[in-house]
Amino acid sequence: PINPLMLQCPRCGRQFPDGVHVCPDDFTPLQADATIADVPVDPLIGRVFDGKYRLDQRLGGGGMGTVYRATHLLIEREVAVKVLSQRFVGDETAQQRFRREARASGRMAHPNAVMVNDFGSTDDGWLYIVMELLEGQTLRDLLAREAPLDPARAVSIMLQASAAVGAAHEAGLIHRDLKPANIFIEQRPNLPAVVKVLDFGVAKLAVDEQDDDYKTLTQVGSIIGTPRYMSPEQCSGSMPLTPASDVYSLGIILYE
């Protein structure tokens, strides 16, 4: 729910407590919401994708798409559905990247990586990925409230995150956008906390460069990631990335 008394990022929609004036993820100045009535109504709320997934609530969004709490109507189970942003619906390169996210995430069978269950497209052009629904908070939210963390707790979080990233590297996948907002602390009643690494949407598969799909995605020449956590070679935009770039980002996260 939106709290009109809290400052909100106009770009990603997240809210922050007193004392925070700039979004830590996209560095956009925060603004105050005048009233709850000013919040625009999401036209996708209530939509049913492919007769199976009903979008019930917006959970958050990023550069590539928006994540919704949804219901799998056939088995009456809550899931998370990530929908490609509308501005990308007619963009073939973005659609290729989104499909690559689905394939890459689907290859990640690791207890510390978010599980992808399905992928599809609607008749009117929306692309979507269905994932497990997580209950808890991002590491970004945890740090905003409780930093600095006890060293033992920080190490426990990083060991789990590193296990998922290590499994990705073994599968030929480089995340490229590791940051606290993409590390989720799942907390369910009467169970220990579990760390889940999110959003392989900007991941680069370490495939052969003769792959036409690979060349199409990399010819754009854009630097994808969050500058605060990016390695020098990723910031340069001209050097090939290796798994070491993810290790650099993990080191910054651990320090923070």
Side-chain angles (χ1 to χ4, degrees):
I2 297 295
N3 183 343
L5 301 180
M6 295 180 67
L7 294 179
Q8 181 177 0
C9 174
R11 183 175 179 183
C12 68
R14 294 176 57 224
Q15 290 189 311
F16 299 91
D18 292 343
V20 180
H21 302 287
V22 177
C23 179
D25 292 323
D26 53 41
F27 307 104
T28 303
L30 304 183
Q31 300 176 357
D33 282 341
T35 64
I36 294 179
D38 290 337
V39 179
V41 177
D42 190 323
L44 290 182
I45 296 297
R47 278 283 305 272
V48 177
F49 281 2
D50 290 341
K52 293 187 292 184
Y53 305 108
R54 185 187 67 222
L55 307 186
D56 299 323
Q57 178 188 359
R58 185 183 186 275
L59 296 178
M64 287 293 292
T66 303
V67 179
Y68 296 86
R69 180 188 296 269
T71 301
H72 190 315
L73 298 175
L74 301 182
I75 58 177
E76 297 184 353
R77 175 185 297 170
E78 284 195 316
V79 295
V81 174
K82 182 174 182 180
V83 182
L84 184 67
S85 296
Q86 186 176 22
R87 66 180 181 273
F88 294 127
V89 169
D91 185 331
E92 184 60 30
T93 299
Q95 292 188 23
Q96 290 181 36
R97 188 176 293 123
F98 193 76
R99 292 188 182 97
R100 175 153 288 183
E101 172 179 2
R103 292 196 299 268
S105 300
R107 291 171 59 180
M108 282 298 299
H110 192 278
N112 296 117
V114 64
M115 181 182 299
V116 173
N117 301 319
D118 198 3
F119 164 76
S121 59
T122 65
D123 292 338
D124 52 350
W126 294 102
L127 295 172
Y128 66 91
I129 290 177
V130 182
M131 304 171 289
E132 61 178 321
L133 180 66
L134 303 177
E135 301 290 348
Q137 61 183 329
T138 66
L139 181 58
R140 165 59 56 217
D141 294 332
L142 177 65
L143 290 174
R145 288 194 294 269
E146 302 183 29
L149 303 185
D150 177 82
R153 187 181 184 191
V155 167
S156 175
I157 292 173
M158 294 308 299
L159 283 175
Q160 294 186 63
S162 297
V165 175
H169 292 167
E170 290 178 359
L173 179 66
I174 301 173
H175 190 287
R176 301 182 77 195
D177 195 22
L178 290 168
K179 56 187 177 182
N182 280 338
I183 297 177
F184 196 90
I185 315 298
E186 184 181 26
Q187 185 64 67
R188 297 184 181 275
N190 304 317
L191 292 175
V194 176
V195 174
K196 298 275 190 176
V197 177
L198 311 176
D199 196 2
F200 286 89
V202 294
K204 179 184 109 176
L205 282 169
V207 297
D208 188 271
E209 292 190 6
Q210 298 305 312
D211 182 350
D212 290 337
D213 187 30
Y214 172 83
K215 290 192 290 185
T216 299
L217 293 177
T218 56
Q219 281 172 351
V220 178
S222 59
I223 300 175
I224 303 175
T226 303
R228 188 174 178 181
Y229 303 95
M230 286 165 55
S231 65
E233 63 268 27
Q234 188 172 358
C235 288
S236 74
S238 59
M239 300 174 63
L241 293 187
T242 70
S245 185
D246 282 345
V247 176
Y248 184 98
S249 300
L250 289 171
I252 294 178
I253 296 169
L254 175 57
Y255 176 80
E256 184 178 352

